[in-house]
């Protein structure tokens, strides 16, 4: 079932470069740089910010550096000019060259901003900044920077946006001056669904509509600590037979995750997809959203909160920022490992508890993570100085 699900990815052919519409020199322009993402977590923040730029009268371009992801086609339909720079799973040297060529084609200058989403995009943006010093380079980091390359790239940024004070502190340790860091919490607003029914979703993804579903959205990288998730799924299968789990993510640990799932005999319960174009519909049908490691915006936790879906997460910066333990969901320590599946099981088996957590999560999403505040703050950070 796991490997079959991997073959269900829908590939969306897109031109390498979109036609560039005429622009007025009186309008500001933003070129947002991102890997292929789904409309949850960071992907949803990108959608909200793009819409905000459009409403503010900016010319908005989106450069996508890897394959997959529904955000790019969704924004293209919303009027954003999308440039697909690569169809590979990760960016490479050729992507850097194409990014520089795109910046030249757009004739970026002093009224333009390059907004890079995620630490993987910061080095690409830094390369453009070195060649076009007049462009304003803003780096948005959902998780702390790592390594010398990240520090060198961030040193080229005019502004760095961090979602929390913890990420801001790690940026300072990486050499970023505190005066150029903006702490801007993310916004909670789930992407609109297309109207698929539960049965239609089940048919498309190979799920049983009569089981309880859980969802984890996370890149398949070491920081996601997916071995904890797989172990928790294995343990839940012992005590509850009517569970199915969806994991959406791509990354270097794909093959290892598949092997581990086979060894633990999770094939009938775990459905792994690198990308999922019906994710907004699926999110509305799951019992809980969970996260086993550090992922920007908690993966789909923030989006689930907006819909009144409880969350369970192993302690991390994003988990502590989003979840109120015992009120909107549960935050569990990494040890003992049994706490992770045990807290999830409590929500799965107790309808009243799930409803209470979900209601509190919805209220917290609206009160603490408003869209207008986040969008206005990001636009302000991106606006070139007079």
């Amino acid at each position: 079932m796991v490997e079959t699900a991997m073959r269900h990815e829908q590939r969306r052919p897109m031109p390498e470069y979109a036609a560039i519409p005429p622009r007025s020199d009186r309008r500001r322009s933003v070129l947002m740089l991102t890997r292929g993402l789904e409309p949850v977590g960071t992907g949803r923040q990108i959608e909200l910010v793009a819409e905000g730029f459009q409403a503010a009268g900016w010319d908005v371009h989106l450069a996508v550096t890897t394959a997959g992801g529904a955000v790019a086609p969704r924004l293209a339909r919303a009027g954003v000019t999308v440039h697909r720079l690569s169809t590979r799973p990760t960016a490479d040297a050729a992507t850097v060259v194409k990014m520089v060529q795109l910046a030249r084609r757009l004739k970026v200058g002093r009224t333009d901003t390059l907004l890079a989403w995620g630490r993987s995009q910061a080095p690409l943006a830094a390369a453009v900044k070195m060649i076009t010093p007049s462009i304003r380079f803003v780096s948005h980091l959902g998780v702390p920077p790592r390594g010398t390359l990240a520090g060198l790239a961030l040193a080229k940024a005019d502004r760095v946006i961090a979602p929390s004070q913890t990420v801001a502190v790690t940026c300072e340790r990486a050499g970023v001056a505190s005066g150029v860091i903006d702490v801007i919490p993310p916004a909670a607003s789930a992407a609109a669904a297309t109207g698929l029914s539960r049965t239609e979703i089940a048919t498309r993804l190979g799920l049983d509509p009569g089981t309880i579903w859980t969802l984890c959205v996370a890149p398949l990288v070491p920081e996601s600590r997916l071995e904890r998730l797989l172990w928790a799924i294995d343990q839940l299968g012992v005590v509850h037979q009517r569970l199915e789990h969806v994991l959406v993510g791509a990354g270097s640990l794909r093959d290892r995750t598949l092997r581990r799932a086979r060894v633990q005999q999770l094939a009938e319960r775990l459905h792994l997809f690198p990308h999922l174009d019906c994710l907004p519909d699926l999110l509305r049908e799951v019992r809980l959203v969970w996260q086993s490691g550090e992922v920007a915006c908690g993966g789909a936790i923030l989006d689930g909160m907006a819909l009144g879906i409880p969350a369970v997460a192993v302690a991390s910066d994003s988990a502590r920022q989003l979840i109120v333990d015992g009120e909107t969901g549960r935050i569990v320590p990494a040890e003992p490992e049994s706490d992770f599946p045990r807290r999830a099981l409590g929500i799965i088996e107790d309808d009243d508890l799930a409803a209470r957590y979900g209601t509190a999560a919805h209220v917290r999403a609206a009160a603490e993570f408003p869209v207008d505040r986040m969008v206005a703050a990001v636009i302000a950070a991106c606006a070139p100085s007079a």
Side-chain angles (χ1 to χ4, degrees):
M1 185 67 71
V2 174
E3 294 186 30
T4 300
M6 293 295 296
R7 294 194 291 268
H8 286 180
E9 177 188 6
Q10 296 185 3
R11 300 188 181 276
R12 309 173 188 87
M14 294 184 64
E16 181 175 300
Y17 291 127
I20 299 176
R23 58 169 287 189
S24 168
D25 289 336
R26 293 187 298 273
R27 298 182 66 182
R28 290 174 172 172
S29 176
V30 60
L31 172 57
M32 299 200 298
L33 181 63
T34 179
R35 59 189 176 89
L37 294 170
E38 304 304 329
V40 300
T42 300
R44 182 57 180 155
Q45 305 303 298
I46 291 172
E47 289 189 331
L48 294 171
V49 169
E51 293 167 2
F53 277 122
Q54 287 180 311
W58 291 51
D59 291 319
V60 185
H61 294 258
L62 180 72
V64 187
T65 61
T66 67
V71 167
R74 283 167 58 93
L75 285 179
R77 291 192 292 270
V80 172
T81 304
V82 174
H83 311 271
R84 178 71 75 172
L85 302 184
S86 175
T87 57
R88 294 178 178 273
T90 57
D92 53 19
T95 311
V96 178
V97 173
K98 291 179 180 179
M99 184 65 205
V100 172
Q101 291 173 340
L102 174 61
R104 287 173 173 168
R105 291 177 67 235
L106 292 174
K107 300 179 181 178
V108 298
R110 63 182 181 82
T111 63
D112 300 295
T113 297
L114 176 58
L115 174 55
W117 291 87
R119 67 185 175 203
S120 66
Q121 307 304 300
L124 281 72
V128 175
K129 176 71 174 181
M130 292 174 66
I131 295 172
T132 313
S134 60
I135 195 172
R136 184 173 176 80
F137 165 30
V138 180
S139 180
H140 188 292
L141 298 177
V143 292
R146 287 189 312 170
T148 303
L149 181 59
L152 293 173
L154 293 177
K156 299 293 183 182
D158 295 280
R159 304 296 304 177
V160 174
I161 297 174
S164 69
Q165 191 60 45
T166 299
V167 175
V169 169
T170 60
C171 288
E172 290 185 47
R173 291 173 180 166
V176 180
S178 60
V180 303
I181 301 174
D182 297 293
V183 178
I184 304 176
S189 174
T194 61
L196 293 175
S197 68
R198 185 178 180 88
T199 300
E200 289 170 330
I201 296 169
T203 299
R204 180 178 293 196
L205 304 186
L207 300 170
D208 180 347
T211 59
I212 295 174
W213 302 344
T214 75
L215 173 65
C216 175
V217 179
L220 307 186
V221 296
E223 282 175 292
S224 298
R225 300 302 302 268
L226 294 173
E227 70 279 1
R228 296 171 178 165
L229 180 71
L230 298 184
W231 189 87
I233 290 173
D234 184 29
Q235 295 302 298
L236 285 175
V238 176
V239 295
H240 201 297
Q241 301 300 313
R242 301 292 294 168
L243 290 175
E244 290 186 276
H245 312 275
V246 178
L247 170 59
V248 181
S252 59
L253 297 185
R254 170 188 174 274
D255 291 341
R256 183 185 299 181
T257 302
L258 287 171
R259 285 195 301 270
R260 185 157 187 153
R262 284 195 295 267
V263 169
Q264 295 181 227
Q265 299 181 339
L266 305 179
E268 296 304 316
R269 286 170 281 156
L270 175 64
H271 303 257
L272 175 58
F273 301 90
H275 303 284
L276 205 56
D277 60 1
C278 63
L279 191 52
D281 295 88
L282 172 65
L283 183 58
R284 287 160 169 79
E285 297 293 334
V286 302
R287 183 58 171 258
L288 66 86
V289 173
W290 52 350
Q291 197 58 252
S292 52
E294 183 66 83
V295 177
C297 295
I301 288 178
L302 192 60
D303 309 86
M305 289 172 59
L307 294 171
I309 298 170
V312 178
V314 175
S316 68
D317 177 50
S318 58
R320 286 185 288 268
Q321 181 182 28
L322 303 179
I323 302 169
V324 178
D325 187 35
E327 182 178 324
T328 68
R330 296 309 307 260
I331 300 175
V332 302
E335 299 291 342
E337 290 184 332
S338 58
D339 267 9
F340 193 31
R342 182 165 62 89
R343 297 304 185 185
L345 183 63
I347 295 174
I348 288 167
E349 293 192 325
D350 190 333
D351 293 343
D352 291 339
L353 180 64
R356 186 167 71 250
Y357 283 168
T359 298
H362 178 72
V363 171
R364 176 171 170 76
E368 300 297 330
F369 303 99
V371 173
D372 291 349
R373 182 182 67 187
M374 184 276 288
V375 170
V378 171
I379 292 177
C382 291
S385 302

